[in-house]
Amino acid sequence: MKKSTKIFMSFLFIILFGSMISTAVYVRIMSEKEAQATEETEQQSDETEQQSQQTTSETNWTQYATTDFFDSPFPNIGVTAVTAPLGENIVSAFSKNTDDDISVLHYYTIDEIFNTLLSRECDIVLSPAPSEEIQQQYGTSLEFIPISNEAIVFLVNKKNSIQNLYLEDIQNIYSGQVTSWENFTRVEKDIVAYQKPENSILQYLFNTLVLPQGSMMSPPQQIRINEEYELEKVISNYDGGEYAIGYDTYYYANTMLYDYNIKMLSIDGIYPTKRNIAKGIYPIMTNYYAVVRANSYAESPEQKLVQYLTSQIGQDLVKQSGYIPLS
């Protein structure tokens, strides 16, 4: 082969190779831009829906009622702090089936709510996912039916340049192994990692889904006066500060948290939108459950409410209440 031909072939190879690299880089950039555009669209959709829910706070809940309880009594419902709004809207929907003088909605902590079923104080409870300990304790006595999706989201100030953390990062932060934002940004500032009180439902969810209680570092604390007018140390509340990080349920962050100086973080590269949570691709998610006694009969009031909550109209009520339906 002539030298000129070899030079030409080498030149042609370089052009083709460079073209392939350019094409690959272009495809990757466009893919990332498309993913970012999709995320922004979903985020805007969530914000639009949030505004819609804010303007329809006076929803006529009776439009979500059915005739399921026309000839039977309405069940006694137990709720926790995170499922209370849903329980209240269910009762409002079926207000014609309840006695105004008798409350059918009862409020409990996560520690006591399941016992109310066995003691028959309640016919059905709306609760977060049970821990392994609770499942072992009540597994054969109670039936757990998913009725909505939920997720734990992480919050930082909008001035913080960070957009994403990995689950391992979160675990390292809250176990005290990582203490500076320098590990994630160029800012040499200590991370102020807020927690929820130990007996709160939010801390229960965090310890169930993210990091066991025994692995947690001591939370930021403050001094305040208790009911006996004595000084005591208590867990500080998340203040949205520039170097702080906190967490909450998606329901609360999206529906009730109106501080526009705070943003939610992506976890493992997945942003917490209703679509991502409903699809099951957001990493830190769970369900809320309707829980009934395992031996309750098919036509009992509580089983009728379970059937309602898993039906289309029941899922519509779940969605209108600000929760994420099953699909």
mmCIF file of all heavy atoms in Angstrom, residues 66-75 94 124 292 296-311:
data_model
loop_
_atom_site.group_PDB
_atom_site.id
_atom_site.type_symbol
_atom_site.label_atom_id
_atom_site.label_comp_id
_atom_site.label_asym_id
_atom_site.label_seq_id
_atom_site.Cartn_x
_atom_site.Cartn_y
_atom_site.Cartn_z
ATOM 1 N N THR A 66 -70.293 6.514 48.378
ATOM 2 C CA THR A 66 -70.980 5.449 47.635
ATOM 3 C C THR A 66 -72.106 4.916 48.522
ATOM 4 O O THR A 66 -72.300 5.371 49.646
ATOM 5 C CB THR A 66 -70.008 4.299 47.298
ATOM 6 O OG1 THR A 66 -69.538 3.716 48.522
ATOM 7 C CG2 THR A 66 -68.817 4.804 46.491
ATOM 8 N N THR A 67 -72.827 3.952 48.019
ATOM 9 C CA THR A 67 -73.939 3.365 48.791
ATOM 10 C C THR A 67 -73.498 2.150 49.593
ATOM 11 O O THR A 67 -74.332 1.407 50.100
ATOM 12 C CB THR A 67 -75.080 2.957 47.839
ATOM 13 O OG1 THR A 67 -74.561 2.015 46.882
ATOM 14 C CG2 THR A 67 -75.656 4.157 47.120
ATOM 15 N N ASP A 68 -72.197 1.946 49.730
ATOM 16 C CA ASP A 68 -71.679 0.766 50.426
ATOM 17 C C ASP A 68 -72.245 0.611 51.844
ATOM 18 O O ASP A 68 -72.450 -0.502 52.320
ATOM 19 C CB ASP A 68 -70.154 0.834 50.527
ATOM 20 C CG ASP A 68 -69.489 0.818 49.163
ATOM 21 O OD1 ASP A 68 -69.886 1.624 48.313
ATOM 22 O OD2 ASP A 68 -68.573 0.005 48.962
ATOM 23 N N PHE A 69 -72.490 1.736 52.523
ATOM 24 C CA PHE A 69 -72.893 1.671 53.926
ATOM 25 C C PHE A 69 -74.348 2.078 54.129
ATOM 26 O O PHE A 69 -74.743 2.497 55.209
ATOM 27 C CB PHE A 69 -71.965 2.572 54.759
ATOM 28 C CG PHE A 69 -70.516 2.222 54.620
ATOM 29 C CD1 PHE A 69 -69.714 2.918 53.734
ATOM 30 C CD2 PHE A 69 -69.972 1.172 55.335
ATOM 31 C CE1 PHE A 69 -68.376 2.581 53.583
ATOM 32 C CE2 PHE A 69 -68.634 0.832 55.186
ATOM 33 C CZ PHE A 69 -67.836 1.535 54.308
ATOM 34 N N PHE A 70 -75.160 1.931 53.084
ATOM 35 C CA PHE A 70 -76.560 2.363 53.154
ATOM 36 C C PHE A 70 -77.317 1.581 54.222
ATOM 37 O O PHE A 70 -78.117 2.134 54.968
ATOM 38 C CB PHE A 70 -77.234 2.182 51.789
ATOM 39 C CG PHE A 70 -78.640 2.717 51.751
ATOM 40 C CD1 PHE A 70 -78.864 4.084 51.664
ATOM 41 C CD2 PHE A 70 -79.734 1.873 51.821
ATOM 42 C CE1 PHE A 70 -80.156 4.589 51.631
ATOM 43 C CE2 PHE A 70 -81.025 2.367 51.786
ATOM 44 C CZ PHE A 70 -81.231 3.734 51.692
ATOM 45 N N ASP A 71 -77.087 0.277 54.277
ATOM 46 C CA ASP A 71 -77.831 -0.580 55.205
ATOM 47 C C ASP A 71 -76.995 -1.105 56.360
ATOM 48 O O ASP A 71 -77.445 -1.962 57.127
ATOM 49 C CB ASP A 71 -78.423 -1.784 54.457
ATOM 50 C CG ASP A 71 -79.501 -1.358 53.475
ATOM 51 O OD1 ASP A 71 -80.259 -0.444 53.816
ATOM 52 O OD2 ASP A 71 -79.541 -1.931 52.380
ATOM 53 N N SER A 72 -75.759 -0.626 56.508
ATOM 54 C CA SER A 72 -74.911 -1.143 57.584
ATOM 55 C C SER A 72 -74.251 0.013 58.326
ATOM 56 O O SER A 72 -74.099 1.110 57.773
ATOM 57 C CB SER A 72 -73.839 -2.077 57.012
ATOM 58 O OG SER A 72 -73.001 -1.377 56.117
ATOM 59 N N PRO A 73 -73.858 -0.201 59.571
ATOM 60 C CA PRO A 73 -73.211 0.873 60.339
ATOM 61 C C PRO A 73 -71.854 1.224 59.763
ATOM 62 O O PRO A 73 -71.222 0.408 59.095
ATOM 63 C CB PRO A 73 -73.082 0.265 61.741
ATOM 64 C CG PRO A 73 -73.068 -1.216 61.511
ATOM 65 C CD PRO A 73 -73.968 -1.454 60.333
ATOM 66 N N PHE A 74 -71.430 2.440 60.037
ATOM 67 C CA PHE A 74 -70.115 2.879 59.572
ATOM 68 C C PHE A 74 -69.072 2.421 60.581
ATOM 69 O O PHE A 74 -69.296 2.470 61.785
ATOM 70 C CB PHE A 74 -70.083 4.399 59.437
ATOM 71 C CG PHE A 74 -68.976 4.892 58.553
ATOM 72 C CD1 PHE A 74 -69.072 4.777 57.169
ATOM 73 C CD2 PHE A 74 -67.829 5.457 59.089
ATOM 74 C CE1 PHE A 74 -68.052 5.223 56.347
ATOM 75 C CE2 PHE A 74 -66.804 5.906 58.272
ATOM 76 C CZ PHE A 74 -66.924 5.785 56.902
ATOM 77 N N PRO A 75 -67.911 1.949 60.127
ATOM 78 C CA PRO A 75 -66.912 1.414 61.063
ATOM 79 C C PRO A 75 -66.212 2.508 61.866
ATOM 80 O O PRO A 75 -66.092 3.648 61.433
ATOM 81 C CB PRO A 75 -65.920 0.719 60.127
ATOM 82 C CG PRO A 75 -66.031 1.469 58.839
ATOM 83 C CD PRO A 75 -67.476 1.848 58.722
ATOM 84 N N PHE A 94 -68.732 10.329 54.001
ATOM 85 C CA PHE A 94 -69.854 9.484 54.421
ATOM 86 C C PHE A 94 -70.580 10.077 55.626
ATOM 87 O O PHE A 94 -71.075 9.352 56.488
ATOM 88 C CB PHE A 94 -69.342 8.080 54.752
ATOM 89 C CG PHE A 94 -68.911 7.301 53.544
ATOM 90 C CD1 PHE A 94 -67.570 7.272 53.179
ATOM 91 C CD2 PHE A 94 -69.822 6.620 52.754
ATOM 92 C CE1 PHE A 94 -67.158 6.558 52.062
ATOM 93 C CE2 PHE A 94 -69.426 5.912 51.640
ATOM 94 C CZ PHE A 94 -68.091 5.887 51.289
ATOM 95 N N ILE A 124 -61.210 -0.648 62.019
ATOM 96 C CA ILE A 124 -60.209 -0.519 60.964
ATOM 97 C C ILE A 124 -59.287 0.633 61.341
ATOM 98 O O ILE A 124 -59.723 1.606 61.972
ATOM 99 C CB ILE A 124 -60.882 -0.251 59.590
ATOM 100 C CG1 ILE A 124 -59.845 -0.149 58.472
ATOM 101 C CG2 ILE A 124 -61.756 0.996 59.629
ATOM 102 C CD1 ILE A 124 -60.483 -0.080 57.070
ATOM 103 N N VAL A 292 -57.164 -4.344 59.206
ATOM 104 C CA VAL A 292 -58.360 -4.920 59.825
ATOM 105 C C VAL A 292 -57.992 -6.239 60.504
ATOM 106 O O VAL A 292 -56.926 -6.798 60.262
ATOM 107 C CB VAL A 292 -59.469 -5.169 58.776
ATOM 108 C CG1 VAL A 292 -59.948 -3.855 58.165
ATOM 109 C CG2 VAL A 292 -58.975 -6.106 57.685
ATOM 110 N N SER A 296 -62.162 -10.803 60.249
ATOM 111 C CA SER A 296 -63.362 -10.021 59.944
ATOM 112 C C SER A 296 -64.039 -10.589 58.695
ATOM 113 O O SER A 296 -63.385 -10.956 57.730
ATOM 114 C CB SER A 296 -63.002 -8.545 59.730
ATOM 115 O OG SER A 296 -62.076 -8.394 58.668
ATOM 116 N N TYR A 297 -65.360 -10.655 58.714
ATOM 117 C CA TYR A 297 -66.075 -11.292 57.615
ATOM 118 C C TYR A 297 -66.214 -10.349 56.419
ATOM 119 O O TYR A 297 -66.130 -9.128 56.550
ATOM 120 C CB TYR A 297 -67.432 -11.808 58.073
ATOM 121 C CG TYR A 297 -68.380 -10.751 58.602
ATOM 122 C CD1 TYR A 297 -69.351 -10.189 57.774
ATOM 123 C CD2 TYR A 297 -68.318 -10.327 59.930
ATOM 124 C CE1 TYR A 297 -70.228 -9.228 58.249
ATOM 125 C CE2 TYR A 297 -69.188 -9.370 60.417
ATOM 126 C CZ TYR A 297 -70.143 -8.818 59.567
ATOM 127 O OH TYR A 297 -71.000 -7.861 60.045
ATOM 128 N N ALA A 298 -66.441 -10.914 55.241
ATOM 129 C CA ALA A 298 -66.370 -10.184 53.967
ATOM 130 C C ALA A 298 -67.315 -8.995 53.894
ATOM 131 O O ALA A 298 -66.987 -7.972 53.279
ATOM 132 C CB ALA A 298 -66.623 -11.139 52.804
ATOM 133 N N GLU A 299 -68.517 -9.098 54.489
ATOM 134 C CA GLU A 299 -69.506 -8.022 54.394
ATOM 135 C C GLU A 299 -69.522 -7.125 55.627
ATOM 136 O O GLU A 299 -70.466 -6.359 55.826
ATOM 137 C CB GLU A 299 -70.893 -8.625 54.171
ATOM 138 C CG GLU A 299 -71.052 -9.303 52.822
ATOM 139 C CD GLU A 299 -70.749 -8.367 51.657
ATOM 140 O OE1 GLU A 299 -71.283 -7.232 51.663
ATOM 141 O OE2 GLU A 299 -69.989 -8.747 50.755
ATOM 142 N N SER A 300 -68.480 -7.222 56.447
ATOM 143 C CA SER A 300 -68.409 -6.368 57.635
ATOM 144 C C SER A 300 -68.172 -4.915 57.216
ATOM 145 O O SER A 300 -67.659 -4.649 56.119
ATOM 146 C CB SER A 300 -67.279 -6.836 58.551
ATOM 147 O OG SER A 300 -66.022 -6.699 57.895
ATOM 148 N N PRO A 301 -68.557 -3.938 58.047
ATOM 149 C CA PRO A 301 -68.342 -2.526 57.697
ATOM 150 C C PRO A 301 -66.888 -2.206 57.369
ATOM 151 O O PRO A 301 -66.605 -1.446 56.442
ATOM 152 C CB PRO A 301 -68.806 -1.790 58.958
ATOM 153 C CG PRO A 301 -69.800 -2.703 59.581
ATOM 154 C CD PRO A 301 -69.286 -4.086 59.306
ATOM 155 N N GLU A 302 -65.953 -2.818 58.113
ATOM 156 C CA GLU A 302 -64.540 -2.519 57.865
ATOM 157 C C GLU A 302 -64.065 -3.074 56.524
ATOM 158 O O GLU A 302 -63.287 -2.433 55.804
ATOM 159 C CB GLU A 302 -63.661 -3.033 59.006
ATOM 160 C CG GLU A 302 -63.740 -4.519 59.277
ATOM 161 C CD GLU A 302 -64.761 -4.877 60.341
ATOM 162 O OE1 GLU A 302 -65.774 -4.150 60.460
ATOM 163 O OE2 GLU A 302 -64.550 -5.873 61.060
ATOM 164 N N GLN A 303 -64.546 -4.264 56.152
ATOM 165 C CA GLN A 303 -64.160 -4.838 54.860
ATOM 166 C C GLN A 303 -64.798 -4.055 53.714
ATOM 167 O O GLN A 303 -64.210 -3.912 52.640
ATOM 168 C CB GLN A 303 -64.544 -6.313 54.788
ATOM 169 C CG GLN A 303 -63.658 -7.241 55.619
ATOM 170 C CD GLN A 303 -62.253 -7.379 55.044
ATOM 171 O OE1 GLN A 303 -61.919 -6.812 54.014
ATOM 172 N NE2 GLN A 303 -61.406 -8.151 55.731
ATOM 173 N N LYS A 304 -65.994 -3.522 53.950
ATOM 174 C CA LYS A 304 -66.618 -2.667 52.935
ATOM 175 C C LYS A 304 -65.802 -1.390 52.726
ATOM 176 O O LYS A 304 -65.657 -0.911 51.593
ATOM 177 C CB LYS A 304 -68.047 -2.314 53.349
ATOM 178 C CG LYS A 304 -69.034 -3.460 53.204
ATOM 179 C CD LYS A 304 -70.450 -2.998 53.534
ATOM 180 C CE LYS A 304 -71.458 -4.120 53.320
ATOM 181 N NZ LYS A 304 -72.839 -3.694 53.613
ATOM 182 N N LEU A 305 -65.247 -0.853 53.826
ATOM 183 C CA LEU A 305 -64.420 0.345 53.695
ATOM 184 C C LEU A 305 -63.114 0.026 52.979
ATOM 185 O O LEU A 305 -62.618 0.835 52.187
ATOM 186 C CB LEU A 305 -64.148 0.961 55.072
ATOM 187 C CG LEU A 305 -63.401 2.304 55.058
ATOM 188 C CD1 LEU A 305 -64.127 3.330 54.193
ATOM 189 C CD2 LEU A 305 -63.228 2.831 56.484
ATOM 190 N N VAL A 306 -62.545 -1.154 53.228
ATOM 191 C CA VAL A 306 -61.349 -1.585 52.503
ATOM 192 C C VAL A 306 -61.643 -1.661 51.012
ATOM 193 O O VAL A 306 -60.871 -1.167 50.173
ATOM 194 C CB VAL A 306 -60.849 -2.951 53.024
ATOM 195 C CG1 VAL A 306 -59.784 -3.526 52.077
ATOM 196 C CG2 VAL A 306 -60.273 -2.813 54.424
ATOM 197 N N GLN A 307 -62.764 -2.280 50.660
ATOM 198 C CA GLN A 307 -63.153 -2.395 49.246
ATOM 199 C C GLN A 307 -63.345 -1.022 48.624
ATOM 200 O O GLN A 307 -62.965 -0.789 47.470
ATOM 201 C CB GLN A 307 -64.438 -3.221 49.143
ATOM 202 C CG GLN A 307 -64.270 -4.684 49.547
ATOM 203 C CD GLN A 307 -65.589 -5.383 49.802
ATOM 204 O OE1 GLN A 307 -66.652 -4.907 49.392
ATOM 205 N NE2 GLN A 307 -65.536 -6.506 50.512
ATOM 206 N N TYR A 308 -63.919 -0.098 49.396
ATOM 207 C CA TYR A 308 -64.117 1.265 48.903
ATOM 208 C C TYR A 308 -62.773 1.950 48.653
ATOM 209 O O TYR A 308 -62.548 2.550 47.596
ATOM 210 C CB TYR A 308 -64.930 2.070 49.917
ATOM 211 C CG TYR A 308 -64.910 3.559 49.651
ATOM 212 C CD1 TYR A 308 -65.718 4.125 48.670
ATOM 213 C CD2 TYR A 308 -64.046 4.409 50.365
ATOM 214 C CE1 TYR A 308 -65.675 5.491 48.408
ATOM 215 C CE2 TYR A 308 -64.003 5.765 50.109
ATOM 216 C CZ TYR A 308 -64.819 6.298 49.129
ATOM 217 O OH TYR A 308 -64.764 7.641 48.861
ATOM 218 N N LEU A 309 -61.851 1.861 49.619
ATOM 219 C CA LEU A 309 -60.572 2.575 49.512
ATOM 220 C C LEU A 309 -59.702 2.052 48.377
ATOM 221 O O LEU A 309 -58.857 2.783 47.854
ATOM 222 C CB LEU A 309 -59.813 2.489 50.837
ATOM 223 C CG LEU A 309 -60.381 3.340 51.972
ATOM 224 C CD1 LEU A 309 -59.702 3.006 53.291
ATOM 225 C CD2 LEU A 309 -60.238 4.822 51.655
ATOM 226 N N THR A 310 -59.881 0.798 47.996
ATOM 227 C CA THR A 310 -59.087 0.231 46.899
ATOM 228 C C THR A 310 -59.823 0.322 45.560
ATOM 229 O O THR A 310 -59.270 -0.084 44.540
ATOM 230 C CB THR A 310 -58.728 -1.232 47.194
ATOM 231 O OG1 THR A 310 -59.920 -1.968 47.490
ATOM 232 C CG2 THR A 310 -57.773 -1.334 48.367
ATOM 233 N N SER A 311 -61.045 0.863 45.558
ATOM 234 C CA SER A 311 -61.797 1.051 44.317
ATOM 235 C C SER A 311 -61.367 2.358 43.656
ATOM 236 O O SER A 311 -60.640 3.168 44.248
ATOM 237 C CB SER A 311 -63.300 1.090 44.599
ATOM 238 O OG SER A 311 -63.644 2.288 45.302
#
